[in-house]
Amino acid sequence: MSLAAYCVICCRRIGTSTPPPKSNTYWKDIRNIIKFTGSLILGGSLFLTYEVLALKKSLTLDTQVVEREKMKSYIYLHTVSLDKRENHGLTYQARKELHKAVRRVLATSAKILRGPFADTFSAVDVEDHECPVWLLLRRSRSDDRLARLQAVQDMAEAHRWHDYQYRTIAQACDLRTLIGLARSKESDLRFFLPPPPLPPLKEDSSIEEELRYLLASLPQTELDECIQYFTSLALSESSQSLAAQKGGLWCFGGNGLPYAESFGEVPSATVEIFCLEALVKHSEIPTHCDKIEANGGLQLLQRLYQLHKDCPKIQRNIMRIIGNMALNEHLHSTIVRSGWVSILAKAMKSPYIMEASQAARTLANLDRETVQEKYQDGVYVLHPQCRTSQPIKADVLFVHGLMGAAFKTWRQQDSDQVLTEKGSGDETRYTTCWPKTWLAGDCPALRIISVEYDTSLSDWRARCPMERKSIAFRSNELLRKLRAAGIGDRPLIWVSHSMGGLLVKKMLLEASQKPEMSTIINNTRGMIFYSVPHHGTHLADYSVNVRYLLFPSLEVKELSKDSPALKVLQDDFLEFAKGRNFQVLNFVETLPTSIGSMIKLHVVPVESADLGIGDLIPVDVNHLNICKPKEKDAFLYQRTLQFIRETLAKDLEN
């Protein structure tokens, strides 16, 4: 305005003043015009500069906000349903408008009284199908733990939402909620976004090579002999395999023995198994888990998992690695971001117990909201595998024997009628693990755990030739893992088969000598022994030219009749059990067991299965089937169930 006024005054002066001499007037006018134009240009430039800077500042983007918005890769528009039954009509619209008016009144009252109003009114003007989503998301982030758990449970029980509502929660929920949904039995798989795209492999590289590079990048010092063995075996065999592939020839070379057992396998798959077995051992060391994550191991393992969907052995080893990494809480966010939760959630719903139990172990290690225990490699929860409102009042622990496993040892007895049903995954007609299917249904207040450890009949079949683990060594290792899993915090019953019973006795003796393990002794209520050779077996005496017994393993040697260690263990346990009110039930086989195609052997005679405490019940089955009931109504299972119920009666009533 001041600039314009100055221009007007100058023009008036020029128009009304007496004309001076012509030359002087001309140059004076030129100077005035230059001053005016310069001022105008300078002022305009300053103004434009200010506006440009202000506009630039207003358009500067917060990159963190952009990253958060990028996660919202779905945009949904609410459309009117074509179903006339969903058209609520005039009454619904009037009710909705009334709710809006109520909300405005409550909001005004809240401002006047400076007090918040209840959550039940905070979304009354939102569409009915949208209100639960955002309300549950809000509650899932509450400071109140019970409110968070209830919100996750409500989400998991929602089965009539639109697809976009599940996807909204999948994108908006936090890590804690996502893991809770994965561990909820009834949760919809649409809660889980697909894993992010995997990074491309390096040029001229294969998965086998990437796996070898990952293994070679891990520290190779301060490792026990078995980790060194698996690592060197994997690296040497993978080098030969790669050289053979590039040279057009597959040579056997190297260790030789592992290949002798896998003539029909593809070389790359065999090498991958070797590498994964080495990685399983490395993943038991926390610092090595950090290296695996830093070197892209989570993505590489996911690629391998998806590639070998038809190879349970490879998938099982990958799940073991991820489960071991999940023991380290600082890696949880990385595991979730890499997309493993969606894979685990799908595996949890598998009809195959081994796949579901591996996923359940990993998710339990990730779930720090409801699980305090940590499940190390070889410790599997059979029940409950999902979050549950059922209070757990006692534990039942299953320990397999020689050449056994956490699941197959406790399957239903095979018969001609059910052999065709084993591969179907139908647990109603044939159960691949009766503790999970039958016992969990009959006693839902129990936590049922099964452990797994490597054993062999012969050193020819040993997975690690350097491994010479005695019963004493294994019991100490298992005891440490079980204590981390919370064994001893509740009333406890031990269930064991064959050599597993010797481990149970040794673990109890070890725990009695360690003050930090005293809760295990104090809470042990009873033991069930299925054909446990308390006084030894003749198995080691049959060192004939048979594949399994060519060179008896240390485990077999310790089970021999004249084993000093076995006699000391029996005497020490009987002395330990005096004065303690342990309930004991012993089963023993009466039929011989086929060893190979030439030998039938009564593995555990009746006199060897007699602990000297509790009832001893002979059963007309062989050593392998003594822990495998034919059906749920069979005597073996019903007597076991009766013992568990009677021994834990007081604990289950409380």
Side-chain angles (χ1 to χ4, degrees):
M1 291 296 292
S2 60
L3 185 61
Y6 174 75
C7 295
V8 172
I9 293 172
C10 289
C11 292
R12 286 182 177 177
R13 286 179 179 177
I14 294 173
T16 57
S17 61
T18 304
K22 191 172 184 180
S23 59
N24 294 337
T25 303
Y26 176 77
W27 290 110
K28 187 177 181 180
D29 291 338
I30 293 297
R31 284 195 300 271
N32 290 335
I33 291 172
I34 291 174
K35 290 179 181 180
F36 167 74
T37 306
S39 301
L40 183 62
I41 293 174
L42 180 60
S45 299
L46 292 173
F47 176 78
L48 289 175
T49 302
Y50 171 80
E51 290 297 327
V52 169
L53 292 175
L55 181 61
K56 182 180 179 180
K57 184 178 180 180
S58 65
L59 292 178
T60 300
L61 297 179
D62 184 351
T63 56
Q64 293 183 352
V65 174
V66 172
E67 290 299 323
R68 287 196 297 267
E69 291 299 316
K70 283 169 65 178
M71 296 297 293
K72 301 178 181 178
S73 54
Y74 295 88
I75 300 177
Y76 300 101
L77 298 176
H78 173 59
T79 56
V80 178
S81 174
L82 298 178
D83 190 351
K84 294 182 180 180
R85 291 175 296 179
E86 295 186 13
N87 185 5
H88 300 280
L90 184 61
T91 303
Y92 170 74
Q93 294 297 330
R95 177 172 165 268
K96 182 179 175 182
E97 293 300 323
L98 179 60
H99 283 178
K100 289 183 179 180
V102 170
R103 174 178 169 78
R104 284 193 290 269
V105 171
L106 290 171
T108 304
S109 301
K111 290 179 181 179
I112 295 174
L113 300 175
R114 296 185 181 276
F117 49 88
D119 282 342
T120 51
F121 295 103
S122 61
V124 292
D125 58 339
V126 181
E127 297 290 346
D128 284 349
H129 61 277
E130 294 175 353
C131 176
V133 174
W134 296 108
L135 192 56
L136 290 175
L137 277 171
R138 177 181 174 185
R139 288 176 177 170
S140 69
R141 296 174 180 267
S142 170
D143 294 333
D144 184 355
R145 177 177 175 274
L146 293 179
R148 293 196 303 267
L149 295 179
Q150 186 61 48
V152 173
Q153 182 179 339
D154 292 342
M155 290 180 190
E157 293 175 353
H159 300 294
R160 298 183 179 273
W161 284 354
H162 297 289
D163 181 71
Y164 80 92
Q165 292 174 288
Y166 294 102
R167 297 302 184 183
T168 297
I169 289 182
Q171 296 168 90
C173 70
D174 58 6
L175 177 150
R176 187 168 51 194
T177 303
L178 187 66
I179 294 172
L181 288 170
R183 292 198 68 234
S184 299
K185 186 175 182 179
E186 302 297 331
S187 61
D188 196 294
L189 290 178
R190 287 175 290 179
F191 280 124
F192 311 99
L193 296 176
L198 296 172
L201 292 174
K202 296 177 182 178
E203 189 175 355
D204 297 331
S205 179
S206 65
I207 293 182
E208 181 183 341
E209 289 177 294
E210 293 289 333
L211 200 58
R212 182 179 182 275
Y213 294 149
L214 175 63
L215 184 58
S217 70
L218 300 178
Q220 305 298 322
T221 58
E222 299 182 1
L223 304 177
D224 66 34
E225 290 182 337
C226 275
I227 299 181
Q228 292 178 5
Y229 167 76
F230 281 117
T231 303
S232 61
L233 175 65
L235 293 178
S236 63
E237 297 292 356
S238 61
S239 297
Q240 294 179 28
S241 175
L242 291 172
Q245 290 175 27
K246 292 180 179 179
L249 175 67
W250 176 32
C251 58
F252 283 86
N255 180 271
L257 283 177
Y259 278 122
E261 297 174 5
S262 56
F263 283 118
E265 294 179 321
V266 179
S268 62
T270 305
V271 172
E272 287 166 357
I273 290 175
F274 289 158
C275 290
L276 289 173
E277 287 180 342
L279 285 173
V280 168
K281 295 293 184 180
H282 279 279
S283 65
E284 295 177 355
I285 305 173
T287 55
H288 291 208
C289 290
D290 295 339
K291 290 285 186 181
I292 293 173
E293 184 274 325
N295 294 331
L298 289 171
Q299 291 77 17
L300 179 60
L301 291 172
Q302 189 177 129
R303 187 188 300 276
L304 199 60
Y305 186 89
Q306 295 173 351
L307 182 66
H308 291 283
K309 292 182 178 179
D310 57 344
C311 185
K313 188 172 183 179
I314 287 181
Q315 290 200 329
R316 182 167 66 251
N317 281 330
I318 292 174
M319 282 290 193
R320 290 174 66 189
I321 297 169
I322 303 301
N324 289 344
M325 295 180 69
L327 292 168
N328 305 282
E329 294 188 29
H330 66 279
L331 294 178
H332 286 186
S333 59
T334 308
I335 294 173
V336 173
R337 286 198 305 270
S338 64
W340 271 103
V341 173
S342 61
I343 297 174
L344 295 169
K346 183 177 180 180
M348 277 279 287
K349 299 183 182 299
S350 171
Y352 300 101
I353 183 173
M354 191 175 296
E355 182 180 4
S357 297
Q358 293 280 1
R361 172 190 167 240
T362 304
L363 286 171
N365 287 334
L366 289 172
D367 187 7
R368 298 296 92 189
E369 180 86 329
T370 61
V371 181
Q372 303 302 318
E373 302 84 6
K374 290 189 176 182
Y375 299 101
Q376 299 185 26
D377 189 30
V379 181
Y380 300 100
V381 178
L382 303 180
H383 173 80
Q385 292 187 338
C386 301
R387 283 189 178 183
T388 177
S389 57
Q390 168 72 51
I392 302 300
K393 299 181 178 180
D395 292 335
V396 177
L397 177 65
F398 287 80
V399 185
H400 68 78
L402 201 62
M403 297 297 292
F407 311 109
K408 72 175 185 179
T409 293
W410 312 106
R411 68 184 184 273
Q412 184 177 348
Q413 185 175 328
D414 300 333
S415 65
D416 295 337
Q417 293 180 330
V418 299
L419 282 176
T420 57
E421 300 169 2
K422 289 176 64 176
S424 66
D426 185 3
E427 293 287 333
T428 59
R429 305 195 61 178
Y430 176 87
T431 176
T432 54
C433 186
W434 59 262
K436 180 181 185 297
T437 308
W438 298 345
L439 185 59
D442 290 329
C443 301
L446 297 177
R447 181 178 65 154
I448 304 172
I449 291 180
S450 184
V451 300
E452 186 166 273
Y453 55 95
D454 295 326
T455 63
S456 59
L457 285 173
S458 169
D459 278 346
W460 278 113
R461 299 282 296 180
R463 295 180 68 249
C464 176
M466 291 80 169
E467 193 171 48
R468 297 290 186 272
K469 292 187 175 180
S470 63
I471 291 176
F473 183 91
R474 292 188 187 280
S475 67
N476 189 58
E477 184 180 46
L478 275 177
L479 191 62
R480 175 180 53 82
K481 291 183 177 182
L482 292 174
R483 191 68 195 100
I487 292 295
D489 294 340
R490 303 183 185 90
L492 171 65
I493 287 181
W494 305 77
V495 183
S496 57
H497 173 236
S498 190
M499 192 186 83
L502 304 179
L503 279 174
V504 169
K505 290 160 60 177
K506 187 63 177 177
M507 281 190 283
L508 288 171
L509 288 173
E510 291 283 342
S512 67
Q513 298 172 5
K514 298 178 180 179
E516 66 274 16
M517 300 287 182
S518 60
T519 56
I520 294 180
I521 304 300
N522 297 335
N523 279 320
T524 293
R525 298 289 189 267
M527 288 152 271
I528 300 176
F529 296 109
Y530 291 104
S531 284
V532 174
H534 300 290
H535 304 281
T537 174
H538 294 291
L539 186 64
D541 300 336
Y542 285 78
S543 298
V544 294
N545 190 17
V546 180
R547 179 177 57 153
Y548 288 118
L549 300 179
L550 194 58
F551 291 102
S553 64
L554 179 60
E555 295 100 326
V556 173
K557 292 176 182 177
E558 284 194 325
L559 298 181
S560 62
K561 280 281 186 180
D562 56 350
S563 170
L566 209 59
K567 186 176 187 307
V568 171
L569 176 61
Q570 172 67 6
D571 294 341
D572 289 348
F573 185 79
L574 289 178
E575 184 66 27
F576 158 76
K578 284 182 180 179
R580 290 183 169 88
N581 191 25
F582 292 149
Q583 302 299 308
V584 179
L585 178 62
N586 301 279
F587 292 100
V588 60
E589 79 245 27
T590 59
L591 301 180
T593 303
S594 297
I595 307 294
S597 58
M598 300 171 56
I599 299 176
K600 284 191 174 183
L601 174 66
H602 200 163
V603 179
V604 179
V606 174
E607 61 273 13
S608 181
D610 187 3
L611 175 63
I613 305 174
D615 296 335
L616 178 64
I617 303 177
V619 184
D620 291 335
V621 292
N622 61 28
H623 187 69
L624 297 179
N625 290 331
I626 189 65
C627 55
K628 299 175 181 63
K630 283 187 177 180
E631 54 190 14
K632 190 174 181 180
D633 293 333
F635 170 77
L636 260 176
Y637 174 70
Q638 290 299 322
R639 184 66 183 90
T640 298
L641 177 62
Q642 178 187 356
F643 177 85
I644 292 174
R645 282 176 168 170
E646 291 176 353
T647 304
L648 296 174
K650 294 182 179 179
D651 300 300
L652 296 178
E653 288 175 0
N654 296 334

